[in-house]
Amino acid sequence: MNSSSIRWSKIYRHRFLYLMVSPAILLVLLFSYLPLAGWIIAFKNYQIGLSVWTAKWIGFEQFKSFLFQSSDYAYLITNTLVMNITSIIVNLVTAVIFAILINEIRNKKFAKLVQTISFFPFFISWVIVYSIMSALFGASTGAFNQTLISAGLIDEGMNILGDPKYAWGLIVCLQLWKYLGYNGVIFIASIASISPDQYEAADIDGASRFQKIIYITIPSLMPTFVVMLIMNSGWILNSNFDLFYLFMNPTNWSKMEVLDMYIFKYGLQLTNYPYATAVGIIKSIVSIIILLGVNLIARKSTGRGIL
């Protein structure tokens, strides 16, 4: 039997598995790969009402316009990278610490209660989060400012939701609050997979709880941490649209506007589709490079990677 026959024999033997996964493959093709054909308008002078096929080819003019004729990329890249990289690092490190602390709580009912409360914000929409933040930190009517003014600590309310100097910290804190429970569950599951024999051996050697955390728990969490870091690195240039759409306003846009909001502005508000598509392509290419770079660094430094 030749290699081709062996291959088709394997496919036929696993035909039901291929049939089960086929809907997922079809959805990915339809919603992830087929829309990539629309990238063609980045290279054409396309306008609404005209056919894409009859539009004039303009090559890389839109890419040159963004990279060399506009200075927008400087603050866009800065805002996007600062907020997203900080959020990824803070979220993962905090989730590891949170999972370790949860694991160390001896009262399991209390640990489950804390874990459930921490997971709850993940299910709250950003619209409700914005309403809560407005009620708490509104410049004139927020409960936080009203309390400080009543106590005589400040003369006028702080504009936390509108002042640019609070923008980056606000976004990082909001994402930490919302995703702490979700990320923590992943690391708690990793801790549960650690063999109890290691802890029993450490007990026999007289190791303290802190030493068991340092020499057993944290090293065992590193593979999961590396995988999570690599997977999140592919989304460094992607921002939560709902979050930034709600919290960006005319007073803090210089620190809050990110690439996704810029693409939305030029694509749907100013209807400059070729320019918005070109910026989106640049963002995708840079994201792939970052993902491959982080995976390479992780593989070189820890011997672990996902690609």
Side-chain angles (χ1 to χ4, degrees), residues 28-100:
V28 170
L29 290 175
L30 285 176
F31 294 104
S32 297
Y33 285 92
L34 189 61
L36 294 181
W39 279 11
I40 192 174
I41 65 175
F43 305 94
K44 288 196 164 192
N45 187 21
Y46 173 74
Q47 295 180 357
I48 296 177
L50 298 178
S51 170
V52 174
W53 309 113
T54 58
K56 181 183 176 182
W57 286 96
I58 58 173
F60 292 93
E61 288 300 321
Q62 301 294 353
F63 297 88
K64 294 177 182 176
S65 176
F66 176 70
L67 294 174
F68 303 112
Q69 299 172 7
S70 168
S71 60
D72 293 344
Y73 68 89
Y75 79 87
L76 288 170
I77 294 295
T78 301
N79 292 346
T80 305
L81 289 181
V82 168
M83 283 187 279
N84 288 350
I85 291 177
T86 305
S87 292
I88 289 173
I89 295 174
V90 170
N91 287 353
L92 291 181
V93 173
T94 308
V96 169
I97 296 172
F98 177 72
I100 292 173

Side-chain angles (χ1 to χ4, degrees), residues 1-301:
M1 185 178 291
N2 55 36
S3 59
S4 177
S5 299
I6 295 174
R7 183 167 59 251
W8 284 109
S9 175
K10 289 182 178 178
I11 293 175
Y12 181 77
R13 187 165 62 251
H14 300 296
R15 60 189 182 281
F16 294 113
L17 294 177
Y18 290 119
L19 188 63
M20 288 173 61
V21 79
S22 59
I25 295 175
L26 182 62
L27 288 175
V28 170
L29 290 175
L30 285 176
F31 294 104
S32 297
Y33 285 92
L34 189 61
L36 294 181
W39 279 11
I40 192 174
I41 65 175
F43 305 94
K44 288 196 164 192
N45 187 21
Y46 173 74
Q47 295 180 357
I48 296 177
L50 298 178
S51 170
V52 174
W53 309 113
T54 58
K56 181 183 176 182
W57 286 96
I58 58 173
F60 292 93
E61 288 300 321
Q62 301 294 353
F63 297 88
K64 294 177 182 176
S65 176
F66 176 70
L67 294 174
F68 303 112
Q69 299 172 7
S70 168
S71 60
D72 293 344
Y73 68 89
Y75 79 87
L76 288 170
I77 294 295
T78 301
N79 292 346
T80 305
L81 289 181
V82 168
M83 283 187 279
N84 288 350
I85 291 177
T86 305
S87 292
I88 289 173
I89 295 174
V90 170
N91 287 353
L92 291 181
V93 173
T94 308
V96 169
I97 296 172
F98 177 72
I100 292 173
L101 293 177
I102 288 289
N103 185 61
E104 291 300 316
I105 296 177
R106 292 293 175 258
N107 188 334
K108 294 304 177 186
K109 289 185 178 180
F110 179 70
K112 291 290 182 185
L113 177 64
V114 174
Q115 189 178 343
T116 302
I117 293 174
S118 68
F119 207 101
F120 182 70
F122 180 75
F123 299 103
I124 301 177
S125 74
W126 283 113
V127 176
I128 297 176
V129 172
Y130 179 77
S131 300
I132 295 172
M133 291 298 111
S134 295
L136 289 175
F137 300 111
S140 57
T141 60
F144 178 73
N145 284 321
Q146 289 295 322
T147 302
L148 294 181
I149 292 174
S150 300
L153 298 176
I154 57 175
D155 296 327
E156 58 182 14
M158 296 181 290
N159 188 13
I160 296 176
L161 302 180
D163 195 325
K165 67 181 180 182
Y166 299 122
W168 291 351
L170 176 66
I171 293 299
V172 172
C173 291
L174 287 174
Q175 295 193 86
L176 172 63
W177 171 72
K178 194 166 173 52
Y179 298 120
L180 176 62
Y182 178 81
N183 292 325
V185 166
I186 297 173
F187 290 107
I188 290 171
S190 296
I191 292 175
S193 66
I194 300 174
S195 173
D197 295 343
Q198 298 187 52
Y199 292 107
E200 292 173 2
D203 288 333
I204 294 172
D205 292 338
S208 64
R209 293 176 67 177
F210 182 73
Q211 288 174 323
K212 286 188 282 186
I213 292 173
I214 295 297
Y215 295 109
I216 298 177
T217 307
I218 292 179
S220 300
L221 289 177
M222 283 301 102
T224 304
F225 185 88
V226 171
V227 171
M228 292 285 290
L229 179 63
I230 295 172
M231 292 179 66
N232 280 282
S233 65
W235 297 89
I236 281 180
L237 295 184
N238 285 336
S239 304
N240 191 309
F241 181 82
D242 295 347
L243 169 62
F244 286 92
Y245 184 79
L246 290 167
F247 283 88
M248 193 176 78
N249 53 59
T251 59
N252 67 7
W253 71 270
S254 62
K255 293 292 185 181
M256 191 73 82
E257 191 171 44
V258 291
L259 281 168
D260 285 334
M261 293 302 301
Y262 188 76
I263 293 170
F264 168 75
K265 181 175 70 177
Y266 275 90
L268 295 182
Q269 293 182 334
L270 303 179
T271 64
N272 190 347
Y273 294 124
Y275 185 76
T277 305
V279 177
I281 292 173
I282 293 172
K283 193 192 80 168
S284 299
I285 293 173
V286 174
S287 295
I288 293 172
I289 294 173
I290 292 174
L291 174 63
L292 295 176
V294 172
N295 184 74
L296 179 63
I297 294 172
R299 188 177 293 280
K300 292 287 185 183
S301 59

